[in-house]
């Protein structure tokens, strides 16, 4: 057997393409220390499931939408930016008015006027669709790679069945056993069988079939 690397897998034409640009709604929040006023951009209202005029934004309202598991971390983050400044970021989950969970990145820094901090300004990026698209692409790639690996294994089984007179079960058991003994993946062994069979096919055409088989399956 000559090959020790995994077979090259091309996903071209197998994995469905996704849009290069994924919609990541982005909103802003401003909190002013002097009067406690909080301003949300229109997009931030929508991320939370509201429209402008439905509610009066407050820190308490925003915090109530943070998923309980992330609430303490977000509170500590906001306090840190308020007291020590930024820029700083945190990843968290929020649940909108309709019960949908959004994965968001919150980046914040102080608002400074005449060298004095007067509030905190934040940018909220909704990463939900981007994460979904990434997971979808990774899942498709995994499925495609799995399908190609299965095809390699089936081809190797076919070679063993056709040239050594083994059944499908016996062929796979032979490959699997060798895989365990050498601590290498079944698909790697299968590709080696295919490569070796192709090499024999293009070598001396007068080599006795029994010798070729012996050479091909010696390690198995």
């Amino acid at each position: 057997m000559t090959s020790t690397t995994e077979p090259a897998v091309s996903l071209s034409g197998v994995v469905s393409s996704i849009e290069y640009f994924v919609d990541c709604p982005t909103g802003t929040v401003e909190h002013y220390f002097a009067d406690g006023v909080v301003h949300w951009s229109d997009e931030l209202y929508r991320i939370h499931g509201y429209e402008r005029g439905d509610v009066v934004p407050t820190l308490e309202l925003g915090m109530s939408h943070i998923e309980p598991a992330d609430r303490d971390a977000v509170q500590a983050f906001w306090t840190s930016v308020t007291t020590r400044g930024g820029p700083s970021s945190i990843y968290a989950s929020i649940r909108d008015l309709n019960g949908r969970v959004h994965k968001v990145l919150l980046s914040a820094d102080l608002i400074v006027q005449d060298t004095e901090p007067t509030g905190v300004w934040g940018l909220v990026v909704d990463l939900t669709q981007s994460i979904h698209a990434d997971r979808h692409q990774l899942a498709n790639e995994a499925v495609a790679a799995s399908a190609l690996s299965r095809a390699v294994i089936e081809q190797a089984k076919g070679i063993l069945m056709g040239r050594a007179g083994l059944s499908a079960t016996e062929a796979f058991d032979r490959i699997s056993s060798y895989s365990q003994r050498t601590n290498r993946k079944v698909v790697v062994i299968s590709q080696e069988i295919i490569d070796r069979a192709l090499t024999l096919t293009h070598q001396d055409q007068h080599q006795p079939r029994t010798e070729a088989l012996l050479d091909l399956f010696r390690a198995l």
Side-chain angles (χ1 to χ4, degrees), residues 2-8 184-185 187-192 195:
T2 59
S3 174
T4 58
T5 58
E6 293 197 37
R184 289 184 295 160
K185 294 181 179 179
V187 69
V188 173
I189 304 302
S190 298
Q191 186 63 53
E192 289 181 351
D195 293 343

Side-chain angles (χ1 to χ4, degrees), residues 53-115:
D54 291 345
V55 293
V56 176
T58 64
L59 291 180
E60 291 74 21
L61 176 64
M63 196 60 63
S64 71
H65 282 276
I66 303 293
E67 288 286 84
D70 295 338
R71 202 165 291 163
D72 288 345
V74 173
Q75 182 63 66
F77 163 80
W78 194 262
T79 299
S80 175
V81 174
T82 299
T83 55
R84 292 189 285 272
S88 188
S89 301
I90 190 171
Y91 177 72
S93 299
I94 68 171
R95 188 176 296 273
D96 68 22
L97 186 63
N98 299 308
R100 291 189 292 266
V101 175
H102 301 251
K103 304 294 185 179
V104 301
L105 178 69
L106 170 59
S107 298
D109 200 353
L110 289 171
I111 299 172
V112 179
Q113 294 180 349
D114 298 327
T115 72

Side-chain angles (χ1 to χ4, degrees), residues 7-202:
V9 175
S10 173
L11 302 180
S12 176
V14 179
V15 181
S16 299
S17 63
I18 62 171
E19 294 294 334
Y20 184 80
F21 293 103
V22 179
D23 183 26
C24 292
T26 302
T28 60
V29 55
E30 295 176 352
H31 171 230
Y32 291 93
F33 300 147
D35 51 17
V37 170
V38 175
H39 296 293
W40 283 1
S41 67
D42 289 345
E43 193 58 58
L44 191 56
Y45 276 101
R46 286 191 283 272
I47 289 174
H48 285 83
Y50 303 106
E51 293 294 337
R52 183 176 293 278
D54 291 345
V55 293
V56 176
T58 64
L59 291 180
E60 291 74 21
L61 176 64
M63 196 60 63
S64 71
H65 282 276
I66 303 293
E67 288 286 84
D70 295 338
R71 202 165 291 163
D72 288 345
V74 173
Q75 182 63 66
F77 163 80
W78 194 262
T79 299
S80 175
V81 174
T82 299
T83 55
R84 292 189 285 272
S88 188
S89 301
I90 190 171
Y91 177 72
S93 299
I94 68 171
R95 188 176 296 273
D96 68 22
L97 186 63
N98 299 308
R100 291 189 292 266
V101 175
H102 301 251
K103 304 294 185 179
V104 301
L105 178 69
L106 170 59
S107 298
D109 200 353
L110 289 171
I111 299 172
V112 179
Q113 294 180 349
D114 298 327
T115 72
E116 290 295 324
T118 59
V120 174
W121 176 88
L123 185 71
V124 181
V125 183
D126 188 346
L127 301 173
T128 308
Q129 290 300 319
S130 177
I131 292 172
H132 174 75
D134 288 344
R135 288 176 176 170
H136 180 69
Q137 182 180 22
L138 288 173
N140 277 353
E141 290 175 352
V143 169
S146 176
L148 290 174
S149 294
R150 287 197 301 272
V152 170
I153 294 169
E154 290 302 316
Q155 186 176 352
K157 284 170 55 180
I159 291 171
L160 292 181
M161 292 165 65
R163 298 196 180 186
L166 301 176
S167 69
T169 299
E170 289 171 337
F172 182 77
D173 286 346
R174 189 76 66 89
I175 297 171
S176 179
S177 177
Y178 186 63
S179 170
Q180 292 174 12
R181 293 201 309 272
T182 59
N183 195 29
R184 289 184 295 160
K185 294 181 179 179
V186 167
V187 69
V188 173
I189 304 302
S190 298
Q191 186 63 53
E192 289 181 351
I193 292 172
I194 296 170
D195 293 343
R196 183 58 183 150
L198 288 174
T199 299
L200 289 174
T201 299
H202 292 93

